[in-house]
Amino acid sequence: MSSDAQAAFASTDRVIATRTFSFADQEAFAKLSGDTNPMHMDALVARRTQAGAPVVHGIHALLWMLDCLAAVSVPLHALRQIKVQFEKFIYLGRAVSVRLQQSDPASARATLLADDLPVILAVLRFGERADKPLPKPVSPLPQAGAPDALELLQMGDRSGWLSSPVSAADFAAAFPSAAEALHPQRLSGLAQTSRLVGMICPGLHSIYAGLTLDLTPTVGDPNGIAFRTVRADERFRRVDMTVAGDGLSGQVSTFVRRPPIEAPSFAQLGGHVTLGEFAGAKALVVGGSRGVGALTAKLLAAGGAQVVVTYARGRSDAESLCSEINAAYGTGVCSALALDAMQSVAPQLAGVKATHLYYCATPQIFVQKSAVFVPALYAEFSRVYVEAFYETCMAVMDGVLSALYPSSIAVTARPEGMTEYSMAKAAGEMLCADMQQAVPNLRIVINRLPRILTDQTATVATAESADPIGVMLPLVRDVQNGEEKSSTS
């Protein structure tokens, strides 16, 4: 055994490398793998996924981990099996570190950490590689410009052959130490599992969960991997597939995300709202491009109100909502306005006056963190839920203003990991109470909303959620029709 290898075995449980992934890195790996899933490549689409923002391809991060391990003489040349779990999302611009926890002649364990949280767990086993039957190449699937958007039931009989869009030499250039130890074609095969999950099956709404792959003695010819679905579980929204080729043989596991949650259609609202019951109102819905805000805008328009919806990033979502409302109730009923609650509100709302305000603005609620309290995160929540709400009320108030402040049951329930969010919502409630006492002709309805299914609350597993119309319509009526200052909780 070489002295470097002996040192690697002896010096375990240490951080061996740190980096951040940029959007340029995303583009480079998308070119290598053919995986252009918008969860990785499109900020506006990614905001409506569980991640809430673009995330690093899990296989890209894994290949970098392997490159780092090979560079410190972990004996990847003797690797016979790799088992990986993708635990959490990896966000762009955040430092990640490879921690080598254990390494000996039989196995090694390594973890990728982001903000001190394990995001990838890898177990490597060394030894003699077993022969596996080589798949028979068939015509490869074409490189897709957009990922398939399959229903889960359509995933049960998927199979095919994927060939790399680039040469093995490109992987040797990108990951030189891993390529030398493992063979660049094996790296290409790993990259093709990213394309398989992100573009083919499940495709658009995928989350790569993990893999268990044996390494075969030879990489085989031609370049590529065969795949076949072996399980598509509707209950857990999980899909497992076998893969073989490029010196690899085993299984990859994925979850199927739920598509973006759309506000109920006007057909679904039919019978709930009385025609003209909100006539004469000039309503401003802050954060109205999706979720609870979009539903509120539809309820108001259905009742005859004039509506302005604001958006921070989702301009196309807001404009699409306005087009839908105007097509149903007349040109000019609804309009869209850009408003970033993280910036000074008054200049952005110059000339905007409202009789009613529905404050549905929210940053990303569920945030990965390792500390109990993160001051910067609390500052962001406080800016949106406290300071910007106050500024908005003062900016749009024109004589009399009735407003809805949607708080959350998290104020009292305080789910694990949501300390900053719960604190900011509680502070917002206190502000609302004092504003009503101090500002004449201002009425604020405060309500701690139950869990409602939105893009932010949608999970892979089905979770109990309240009926959105049943929750929001009584609140809209309270804001529109109430005459006395009051609050509800």
Side-chain angles (χ1 to χ4, degrees), residues 22 28-30 52 139 173 192 215 247 260 265 300 303 462 479:
S22 67
F29 185 73
S139 297
Q192 284 307 289
L215 278 67
S265 67
L300 289 163
T462 301
V479 173

Side-chain angles (χ1 to χ4, degrees), residues 121-400:
L121 308 178
V123 176
L124 314 176
R125 304 190 187 282
F126 309 123
E128 185 177 355
R129 295 167 182 165
D131 281 315
K132 301 278 185 177
L134 291 175
K136 294 182 179 180
V138 296
S139 297
L141 296 177
Q143 293 292 322
D148 290 341
L150 305 176
E151 297 293 334
L152 203 148
L153 289 175
Q154 296 175 292
M155 302 175 193
D157 60 354
R158 293 283 278 173
S159 64
W161 179 275
L162 299 178
S163 293
S164 177
V166 300
S167 71
D170 291 311
F171 286 91
F175 310 100
S177 297
E180 182 178 0
L182 292 172
H183 195 290
Q185 195 170 326
R186 289 195 178 92
L187 306 189
S188 176
L190 283 169
Q192 284 307 289
T193 70
S194 184
R195 178 185 162 207
L196 168 60
V197 171
M199 302 295 288
I200 308 299
C201 185
L204 179 60
H205 303 302
S206 59
I207 296 178
Y208 205 150
L211 59 85
T212 300
L213 298 175
D214 295 322
L215 278 67
T216 57
T218 58
V219 295
D221 185 52
N223 174 293
I225 60 169
F227 72 91
R228 181 178 296 278
T229 301
V230 293
R231 183 175 69 163
D233 189 316
E234 289 186 78
R235 180 181 177 188
F236 296 104
R237 299 184 66 82
R238 173 171 169 151
V239 176
D240 296 325
M241 294 171 284
T242 59
V243 296
D246 285 341
L248 307 168
S249 179
Q251 182 169 293
V252 300
S253 299
T254 78
F255 290 111
V256 184
R257 292 184 287 106
R258 297 187 184 278
I261 306 302
E262 303 298 340
S265 67
F266 287 116
Q268 292 171 298
L269 296 180
H272 291 281
V273 182
T274 303
L275 185 64
E277 66 173 298
F278 306 140
K282 295 180 179 179
L284 176 67
V285 183
V286 177
S289 64
R290 59 175 175 152
V292 169
L295 170 60
T296 300
K298 285 189 170 185
L299 290 170
L300 289 163
Q306 294 285 316
V307 184
V308 176
V309 297
T310 78
Y311 62 90
R313 289 179 293 164
R315 176 178 177 177
S316 61
D317 291 331
E319 291 179 343
S320 177
L321 174 65
C322 290
S323 295
E324 183 183 0
I325 289 174
N326 291 335
Y329 296 105
T331 302
V333 170
C334 184
S335 59
L337 176 70
L339 177 64
D340 184 354
M342 296 302 294
Q343 307 300 321
S344 180
V345 168
Q348 301 178 76
L349 291 175
V352 177
K353 297 300 178 182
T355 58
H356 299 81
L357 168 66
Y358 297 83
Y359 194 79
C360 303
T362 184
Q364 186 175 346
I365 295 173
F366 301 101
V367 180
Q368 295 176 183
K369 60 181 186 132
S370 56
V372 173
F373 179 71
V374 179
L377 183 58
Y378 174 72
E380 179 180 0
F381 284 134
S382 181
R383 170 61 208 169
V384 174
Y385 298 140
V386 182
E387 298 163 36
F389 173 72
Y390 176 81
E391 294 174 16
T392 301
C393 288
M394 296 300 99
V396 303
M397 188 171 181
D398 186 18
V400 177

